Amino acid sequence: MKLYPLKFAPIYKYRIWGGEKLKTELNKNYSEENIGESWEISDVSGDETVVAGGDLEGKSLRDLTNEFKGDFVGNAVYEKFGEEFPLLIKFIDAKTPLSIQVHPNNEVAKERHNSFGKNEMWYVMQADKDAELIVGFDEKIDAEGYKTHLANNTILEVMHHEIVNKGDTFYIPTGRVHAIGAGVLLAEIQQTSNITYRIYDYDRVDAKTGEKRELHSDMAMDVLDYEVHSNYKTEYDLEKNVSNKLVYSPYFRTNILDINTTIDKDYSEIDSFVIYMCVEGSVDLISKGKTYTINTGETLLLPAAIKTIQLKAANAKVLEVYY
């Protein structure tokens, strides 16, 4: 059985803050209410996405890595991670704000939860007027100040609030406090991890459980980066029909392509799978004479063994992600 460009069946997640934009803006197909996340490519235990379409339909990421090894993920990736797929790919719709939260690094996550840490990035696909993200601190505090602000319900006052627009990009390293504000639809690329420390949740009660959600304020205290940084947003170029560098980290590399013609891509220098997230328009990926279409809000994985493809679009923006 041969590898080919793969789409996966998304897993939809109820969230207390979820809305309808995954359906109305990204044409996702589900009937539940308050769906906040579409997990596009996931190897999280119990939430493994499976291939949709073709000879490999129904196989999970773990199945594919087990069967094809380096041909699927790349030899270097396979040597480092074995059968654990290193990235989790999502679209997120926040109708109301997410909790104020932070993620632990690899070392703490391994020790406390036997998990990877959670470095992540956001690319804003749509934002309502004056919608904002909270990223990092605007005022220098320490662990004692953190505890005082939590006790006084004033933690939001020392955080950096940024009004966002389509195309805005943020890298969220572990330790950086953050939250997606109401009215933001975004693409999220992260390490395969589901470890989140909630610091503050607006005293909300979850309608499904009738309870407030658990907070992890103490666990968060010793992983937080209390430093104030001069800029939290990622600046980038947007030249047509080339891979423009967006976020390069030790955990993933992401480019953005703004395509209005046919372009040839050669990945022989990259020892990794490549993931495409279509964030605007529609793009055709042509591999071995066959065309695979990716529309806004769709994701496709190119196995590492496939080195040359064409991308064709009249007007599309695509995130290009690899290890």
Side-chain angles (χ1 to χ4, degrees):
M1 210 175 283
K2 286 214 170 83
L3 285 164
Y4 52 92
L6 299 163
K7 283 187 179 178
F8 291 79
I11 296 171
Y12 300 117
K13 293 286 188 179
Y14 163 83
R15 295 291 184 254
I16 189 174
W17 39 261
E20 294 292 318
K21 283 183 188 172
L22 295 175
K23 190 184 286 184
T24 58
E25 299 275 338
L26 304 188
N27 296 309
K28 298 293 183 186
N29 187 16
Y30 55 84
S31 53
E32 303 89 340
E33 293 189 346
N34 299 104
I35 296 297
E37 301 188 7
S38 174
W39 289 24
E40 298 286 301
I41 296 180
S42 167
D43 190 38
V44 172
S45 183
D47 283 308
E48 297 94 349
T49 48
V50 300
V51 176
D55 292 343
L56 297 169
E57 183 158 29
K59 288 189 180 280
S60 68
L61 289 169
R62 194 69 60 105
D63 295 334
L64 294 166
T65 312
N66 189 326
E67 186 172 342
F68 297 103
K69 302 184 169 50
D71 282 348
F72 178 53
V73 293
N75 293 321
V77 176
Y78 187 74
E79 279 173 28
K80 182 160 188 180
F81 296 103
E83 282 161 26
E84 292 184 278
F85 194 80
L87 298 184
L88 173 56
I89 305 294
K90 302 175 180 176
F91 293 112
I92 297 180
D93 166 30
K95 184 177 182 180
T96 57
L98 274 69
S99 63
I100 307 299
Q101 55 190 246
V102 70
H103 306 302
N105 63 24
N106 280 342
E107 293 71 33
V108 172
K110 179 77 178 161
E111 183 186 320
R112 291 182 182 173
H113 314 284
N114 195 29
S115 168
F116 292 127
K118 192 171 168 187
N119 289 268
E120 62 190 21
M121 67 160 281
W122 294 332
Y123 175 90
V124 176
M125 295 174 68
Q126 185 272 336
D128 295 349
K129 188 175 185 302
D130 295 332
E132 64 175 27
L133 298 174
I134 294 174
V135 185
F137 289 106
D138 257 350
E139 197 176 299
K140 181 85 168 75
I141 63 168
D142 55 16
E144 284 307 308
Y146 162 78
K147 285 199 287 192
T148 303
H149 280 295
L150 273 185
N152 296 338
N153 271 347
T154 53
I155 193 75
L156 287 170
E157 293 173 14
V158 295
M159 291 179 181
H160 177 73
H161 301 247
E162 187 148 343
I163 291 174
V164 291
N165 298 293
K166 185 167 79 170
D168 286 351
T169 299
F170 294 81
Y171 178 53
I172 316 288
T174 56
R176 183 165 294 172
V177 66
H178 61 279
I180 302 171
V184 178
L185 174 70
L186 55 76
E188 180 175 273
I189 295 146
Q190 59 161 92
Q191 288 175 276
T192 296
S193 168
N194 205 21
I195 308 298
T196 294
Y197 295 162
R198 267 189 226 107
I199 293 169
Y200 179 74
D201 198 29
Y202 306 91
D203 282 330
R204 286 185 285 204
V205 172
D206 189 334
K208 270 202 172 178
T209 63
E211 315 246 330
K212 291 181 183 178
R213 297 193 297 171
E214 184 184 359
L215 298 178
H216 316 93
S217 315
D218 290 344
M219 282 205 285
M221 190 160 54
D222 56 358
V223 304
L224 274 168
D225 170 13
Y226 295 103
E227 289 299 314
V228 175
H229 298 271
S230 59
N231 187 23
Y232 293 98
K233 190 160 77 171
T234 300
E235 303 299 331
Y236 62 94
D237 296 322
L238 195 56
E239 193 182 327
K240 290 277 188 194
N241 304 311
V242 297
S243 293
N244 299 279
K245 177 182 173 181
L246 210 52
V247 170
Y248 282 23
S249 79
Y251 311 99
F252 51 80
R253 288 172 283 176
T254 302
N255 300 311
I256 184 164
L257 291 101
D258 185 2
I259 307 171
N260 66 357
T261 184
T262 301
I263 57 176
D264 295 307
K265 295 295 292 181
D266 184 339
Y267 293 110
S268 43
E269 298 299 308
I270 297 172
D271 189 8
S272 169
F273 57 87
V274 180
I275 292 168
Y276 304 98
M277 303 180 80
C278 186
V279 292
E280 192 177 320
S282 174
V283 63
D284 288 338
L285 182 149
I286 300 139
S287 172
K288 296 175 181 158
K290 193 165 177 195
T291 299
Y292 304 81
T293 301
I294 326 167
N295 298 307
T296 304
E298 290 187 329
T299 304
L300 182 143
L301 186 149
L302 186 71
I306 302 173
K307 294 302 184 188
T308 57
I309 57 145
Q310 285 185 313
L311 295 173
K312 182 180 179 182
N315 184 20
K317 288 193 177 75
V318 183
L319 302 184
E320 174 188 54
V321 186
Y322 47 91
Y323 184 74

